[in-house]
Amino acid sequence: MRIVVVCLALASLAWTSSAEARLVRLRVESRELVLGGRGFGQAGSYEKLIGKAEFAVDPSLLANGLIVDLRLAQRNAQGEVEFTADFYLLRPVDPQKANGRLLYEVSNRGGKNLLVTFQKAVASDDPTTETDFGDGSLMNQGYTLLWMGWQWDVPDGRMRMAIPIASDNGRAITGLVRGNFILNQRSATASVADAGHKAYPAVAHESPQDFMTVRDERRDAPQIVARARWRFVDSRMVTLDGGFEPGRIYDVVYRATDPRVVGLGLAGTRDIVSFFKYERGDANPAPTIRYAIGYGRSQSGRFLRHFIYQGFNADERGRLVFNGVLDVASGAGRGSFNHRFAQASRDAREHHNFLFPVDLFPFTDGPSTDPETGVTDGLLALAARSGTAPKIFHVLTNSEYFNRAGSLIHTDPTGARDAKLPPNTRIYLMSSAPHFPRPFPPETNRDGSLAGVAALSPLDYFPVLRALMQAMDQWVVEDALPPPSRYPRLMDRTLVARDASRWPAIPGFRLPPPQFVAYRLDFGPRWKDGLVDFEPPLVGMPFGVRVPAVDADGNDRAGIRLPEVAAPLATYAGWNYRDPSIGAPAHLAGEIGSYIPFAKSRSERVRVGDSRLSIKERYPDKAHYMRLVRAAAVNLVRQRFVLQSDLSDMLSRASAHYDWAMR
């Protein structure tokens, strides 16, 4: 009964837009002061608003023309397609104390990570406590922080968008869907959807046209599994007589029904950000916003790349949506964000999620030409023509060069020449960093059920992201140039072919490690319209992917070298081999990184055959080590890659690391 009373009390609390065919209304279902009204710097108290964003888009508008199947969705009396999404807003209670900046995090599979990265908070889907808000850095500066669900298929309990189903005048539309999975332990069942997501329902659970294949290597010829041996358990799960084996690559291709108009995730992002920037008066709960910065990492970064490429950074009236974009750890890809039967969670890695439409030409911001097709294109092509190209930071970790074809962001498609960057683009490599840092000290080599050979990398590059956020803000608001790009290049041989990366001899590791290779994929003659006819796709020639060259320790030579890389106690890497217990031990364990410690002494190093100098051979004592760490950290502060406020924490962490390594 208490919940009902609260909902009734809030039912009339909504902001209704006066603009047509955009965000129609923000319906607030929960509203409360953050931390009981505690002040955040000069911004004062913050308020948390949770509810639904209600949209209506007109399929006849040119700005909505690229949304696949939009014209096949049900329309209201005005001819518009309606949909809703969960939203979550943190704003200063007094709008006049806000700094005029909206920071929008593209939700990664329905979650939130912004406060973890930029406010040193603990992870929370509903930040409530002191630790959930961390040091309050962004809020002390007066940022308005916004999240919105944009996927229909995320697991229950996460932010989502209620996306309409496309139909042919009320008749169900069917099409091919492929579920690809690699299990880490033997199992009788497996999901055809990715990462616990919801699946498109099969037309018939026992259709003889549906098929399953299995193989061990990406380029192996798939082996057909007899139809009598496998079957659907329900709309998401399949079972196989004898069970699925760990490490093997399985595909299930089936005819599905009821495709969602998934491109509305792009349109909804465009429209809610545009609403906060341009709607004035009582309709906007944050009416002083003048600038919008988009942030996304991994899947969310690929979403932003796709968003820009397809022209969504111009709103329905042609106005600029995001002034700046931080795309972190997404590699060179885009994703399944706007085609029929798209599965937005799917990515593409060295041994996971094979042959989905992720790493597709073009990759570079500026124009490049694919020599196989003769097509010239660029990520910013549409935005440049409409005058809506944002300022962009592409931030890569070492992981994206081995798992996500990251080098294609800054080379031509053959990997033979460095690409020229547009003036509004910067690229930064976090040298030797993992896709996502793990806790210190280095712990067990397991990420859930995903076992790796090496300990997980604790290399924390979040201090650099905090400094880059400040640099992006200054670039957007004051037009102050950010630090120059830092990434490996072919011209100075810091970007090389995998076999030329010159890895040292490290006991227990076959080096160089394997690498993801992006191929030209053919999904059929209607792919240009967002429709898949070939599933799996036809595989063409590979693109020319490259990796960072390493030093004598196995750490990246180029990029932003954190103090723990400049004065190392270990080899850090963005990859980790699969443990034999989970199968396919010659391949990479997802996107988890590695921490491979140095020997403590020369005698220990010689005994095991390690070519890397031991800790005692490098540093006579801890004081010497700390002097080198301090010099590296101060240099990063001077170069604006680390904030002065993070210096003390970095030095304390390095001190603890030395003590732990020499224990």
Side-chain angles (χ1 to χ4, degrees):
M1 186 63 185
R2 178 176 176 271
I3 295 176
V4 174
V5 171
V6 171
C7 291
L8 288 174
L10 293 169
S12 62
L13 182 56
W15 283 271
T16 302
S17 172
S18 60
E20 296 181 359
R22 292 199 301 146
L23 187 148
V24 175
R25 188 171 70 144
L26 289 175
R27 176 162 44 89
V28 178
E29 298 171 344
S30 173
R31 180 178 187 173
E32 65 181 63
L33 287 173
V34 170
L35 299 179
R38 194 200 84 180
F40 287 88
Q42 295 184 350
S45 299
Y46 263 73
E47 196 172 29
K48 178 200 306 183
L49 305 177
I50 305 173
K52 304 291 185 186
E54 300 177 359
F55 299 90
V57 295
D58 184 349
S60 69
L61 291 181
L62 182 63
N64 299 323
L66 278 179
I67 303 173
V68 174
D69 286 342
L70 181 61
R71 292 179 178 273
L72 300 180
Q74 183 176 351
R75 306 189 195 186
N76 62 19
Q78 290 73 44
E80 301 162 342
V81 175
E82 298 178 348
F83 58 103
T84 63
D86 298 326
F87 82 89
Y88 196 107
L89 179 71
L90 296 174
R91 64 162 192 175
V93 173
D94 182 352
Q96 299 308 313
K97 293 183 178 180
N99 69 358
R101 280 78 132 172
L102 175 73
L103 181 52
Y104 179 85
E105 179 182 22
V106 178
S107 178
N108 187 308
R109 297 174 175 85
K112 301 180 181 70
N113 197 259
L114 188 71
L115 301 183
V116 174
T117 303
F118 296 107
Q119 293 197 166
K120 306 179 187 179
V122 300
S124 173
D125 285 334
D126 183 16
T128 302
T129 68
E130 292 272 358
T131 56
D132 294 342
F133 290 98
D135 66 6
S137 174
L138 295 171
M139 298 161 76
N140 289 335
Q141 298 174 65
Y143 280 93
T144 299
L145 308 177
L146 178 64
W147 296 262
M148 183 185 70
W150 57 273
Q151 290 181 244
W152 71 273
D153 55 349
V154 294
D156 291 339
R158 302 185 188 178
M159 299 185 72
R160 72 173 68 249
M161 178 177 280
I163 296 180
I165 293 171
S167 67
D168 182 9
N169 292 316
R171 294 187 297 273
I173 292 174
T174 66
L176 296 178
V177 170
R178 179 167 55 93
N180 171 261
F181 51 91
I182 300 166
L183 303 184
N184 299 316
Q185 55 191 10
R186 181 175 289 275
S187 176
T189 60
S191 173
V192 296
D194 187 49
H197 284 54
K198 300 179 186 299
Y200 290 103
V203 171
H205 283 188
E206 299 180 4
S207 170
Q209 280 73 46
D210 298 344
F211 63 91
M212 177 185 290
T213 65
V214 63
R215 62 194 192 278
D216 293 304
E217 301 289 337
R218 168 186 292 219
R219 295 313 311 270
D220 285 353
Q223 305 168 34
I224 294 289
V225 178
R227 187 65 179 88
R229 291 189 57 213
W230 72 274
R231 64 202 65 85
F232 279 92
V233 176
D234 54 31
S235 63
R236 187 171 66 91
M237 305 296 292
V238 290
T239 187
L240 173 67
D241 293 346
F244 297 101
E245 299 176 67
R248 305 198 77 189
I249 305 165
Y250 293 91
D251 282 289
V252 174
V253 178
Y254 65 100
R255 183 157 292 278
T257 187
D258 296 342
R260 305 281 177 149
V261 186
V262 294
L264 288 174
L266 298 164
T269 300
R270 173 197 68 192
D271 292 347
I272 196 169
V273 174
S274 175
F275 170 85
F276 275 96
K277 275 187 72 175
Y278 298 113
E279 188 75 20
R280 293 294 176 251
D282 294 340
N284 190 344
T288 60
I289 297 298
R290 299 186 300 279
Y291 306 97
I293 297 173
Y295 167 72
R297 67 179 326 277
S298 193
Q299 179 214 32
S300 307
R302 291 189 291 106
F303 178 95
L304 286 169
R305 289 172 56 82
H306 203 115
F307 180 91
I308 295 166
Y309 176 64
Q310 291 204 316
F312 286 94
N313 206 44
D315 71 7
E316 288 186 346
R317 294 172 57 181
R319 299 171 299 190
L320 179 70
V321 178
F322 289 117
N323 301 83
V325 164
L326 270 77
D327 148 32
V328 178
S330 64
R334 299 192 301 279
S336 299
F337 306 134
N338 190 18
H339 66 269
R340 185 176 291 178
F341 289 112
Q343 301 175 69
S345 180
R346 297 287 184 180
D347 49 17
R349 307 179 211 168
E350 191 274 332
H351 197 65
H352 183 69
N353 271 345
F354 293 106
L355 306 181
F356 288 97
V358 176
D359 296 287
L360 305 180
F361 178 85
F363 306 101
T364 56
D365 284 2
S368 62
T369 300
D370 182 352
E372 290 292 318
T373 63
V375 173
T376 298
D377 202 354
L379 198 76
L380 297 179
L382 281 177
R385 286 200 291 271
S386 65
T388 57
K391 295 176 167 68
I392 302 179
F393 288 170
H394 297 299
V395 182
L396 298 167
T397 73
N398 176 270
S399 178
E400 283 75 64
Y401 287 88
F402 290 90
N403 263 308
R404 297 289 311 108
S407 64
L408 290 171
I409 282 181
H410 51 79
T411 73
D412 74 323
T414 68
R417 292 182 298 278
D418 293 313
K420 182 180 179 181
L421 304 187
N424 58 330
T425 293
R426 298 290 185 275
I427 299 176
Y428 304 105
L429 166 64
M430 304 289 102
S431 303
S432 299
H435 188 70
F436 195 88
R438 302 298 174 173
F440 177 83
E443 296 175 339
T444 173
N445 62 341
R446 291 186 179 274
D447 179 16
S449 63
L450 185 59
V453 171
L456 302 180
S457 173
L459 189 62
D460 183 8
Y461 57 89
F462 288 1
V464 177
L465 294 184
R466 290 191 283 272
L468 290 179
M469 176 60 74
Q470 183 180 91
M472 174 60 78
D473 182 282
Q474 292 170 344
W475 198 16
V476 163
V477 177
E478 303 169 15
D479 206 26
L481 290 178
S485 294
R486 285 277 194 92
Y487 61 94
R489 292 172 168 85
L490 295 163
M491 63 178 294
D492 62 10
R493 298 182 182 178
T494 55
L495 185 72
V496 296
R498 167 181 166 270
D499 294 338
S501 49
R502 303 178 66 87
W503 278 87
I506 304 177
F509 291 90
R510 289 177 292 176
L511 298 169
Q515 176 192 18
F516 170 79
V517 177
Y519 291 91
R520 294 165 174 86
L521 302 178
D522 181 359
F523 289 92
R526 297 187 297 167
W527 175 245
K528 65 181 184 301
D529 299 318
L531 308 181
V532 174
D533 292 302
F534 301 157
E535 193 65 276
L538 304 181
V539 180
M541 295 295 293
F543 292 101
V545 292
R546 301 290 182 260
V547 299
V550 298
D551 60 20
D553 298 321
N555 289 317
D556 291 343
R557 289 169 49 199
I560 301 171
R561 287 166 60 96
L562 289 158
E564 289 169 279
V565 174
L569 299 170
T571 296
Y572 295 93
W575 48 263
N576 202 328
Y577 280 98
R578 293 171 63 93
D579 187 86
S581 65
I582 64 171
H587 293 283
L588 300 185
E591 292 172 306
I592 61 175
S594 294
Y595 175 91
I596 311 171
F598 297 153
K600 295 178 186 178
S601 64
R602 182 179 185 279
S603 60
E604 179 185 335
R605 173 175 71 84
V606 172
R607 185 175 67 253
V608 299
D610 195 334
S611 69
R612 304 167 300 162
L613 290 178
S614 68
I615 295 175
K616 289 184 178 179
E617 288 176 290
R618 296 163 184 271
Y619 316 112
D621 52 33
K622 181 178 179 180
H624 178 77
Y625 167 75
M626 288 303 299
R627 283 196 296 272
L628 296 177
V629 167
R630 174 177 284 277
V634 168
N635 192 43
L636 290 178
V637 172
R638 186 179 302 117
Q639 295 169 343
R640 294 191 293 148
F641 288 123
V642 170
L643 300 175
Q644 182 70 38
S645 58
D646 276 325
L647 183 58
S648 177
D649 285 349
M650 294 183 77
L651 296 179
S652 295
R653 179 184 173 95
S655 176
H657 189 175
Y658 183 91
D659 293 341
W660 179 86
M662 296 301 291
R663 69 197 187 286

